Amino acid sequence: MRSAQQILADSAVIAVVGASRDPRKAAHSVPLQMQRYGWRIIPVNPTADELFGEPVYRSLAEIPHPVDLVDVFRPARDAVEVVREAVAIGAPAVWLQLGIVSPESRQIATEAGLDYVEDRCLIVERAAAGLTRLG
């Protein structure tokens, strides 16, 4: 199983489930900052059409290309279904953002062979490792 920082280093395309239009929310500022450091962000949100200059998809299944990481900004009770969708689309890793812990999600991911991170923040781990996908 890869470490959180190794997952980020290996990922170029991140699907963000629960990406927000509200710039005051972490579900907006975190993916935006990751995009600024060179990651391609694919927003997944049932009520938006475009975020971060990218088309928004209603579900992971609608994304027409592979993703390297599924980042989850949804409550723990919703994460289980998101992890099942991540398994179904063949994503290699799932990341539950800071404050989100789900033993059932962890079990689903690990049984399917996905790398799994929970209760950690993408931008904190990116900064700690000094990672960028720019230049």
Side-chain angles (χ1 to χ4, degrees):
M1 185 136 144
R2 297 177 293 169
S3 70
Q5 293 176 354
Q6 189 61 53
I7 292 167
L8 281 181
D10 293 346
S11 297
V13 179
I14 303 173
V16 180
V17 178
S20 175
R21 290 181 288 213
D22 186 343
R24 296 167 296 184
K25 292 187 174 183
H28 181 91
S29 60
V30 169
L32 184 60
Q33 185 166 350
M34 293 301 291
Q35 186 183 56
R36 287 178 179 154
Y37 278 94
W39 279 265
R40 178 158 185 220
I41 300 299
I42 308 298
V44 178
N45 178 316
T47 63
D49 294 321
E50 184 180 294
L51 281 169
F52 323 116
E54 293 278 351
V56 177
Y57 296 93
R58 303 290 176 247
S59 69
L60 290 174
E62 290 183 18
I63 300 172
H65 49 76
V67 299
D68 301 313
L69 174 61
V70 173
D71 182 37
V72 182
F73 277 98
R74 300 290 305 140
R77 68 181 175 277
D78 297 344
V80 173
E81 187 55 39
V82 175
V83 172
R84 286 191 181 112
E85 286 184 34
V87 170
I89 67 164
V94 174
W95 187 301
L96 275 55
Q97 278 293 139
L98 197 61
I100 307 169
V101 176
S102 172
E104 188 178 353
S105 293
R106 176 183 292 277
Q107 181 178 352
I108 293 165
T110 53
E111 285 177 0
L114 276 65
D115 289 316
Y116 182 85
V117 176
E118 66 182 12
D119 196 22
R120 309 267 289 271
C121 181
L122 286 178
I123 58 175
V124 171
E125 297 301 323
R126 186 217 60 78
L131 295 171
T132 181
R133 297 201 66 82
L134 299 173

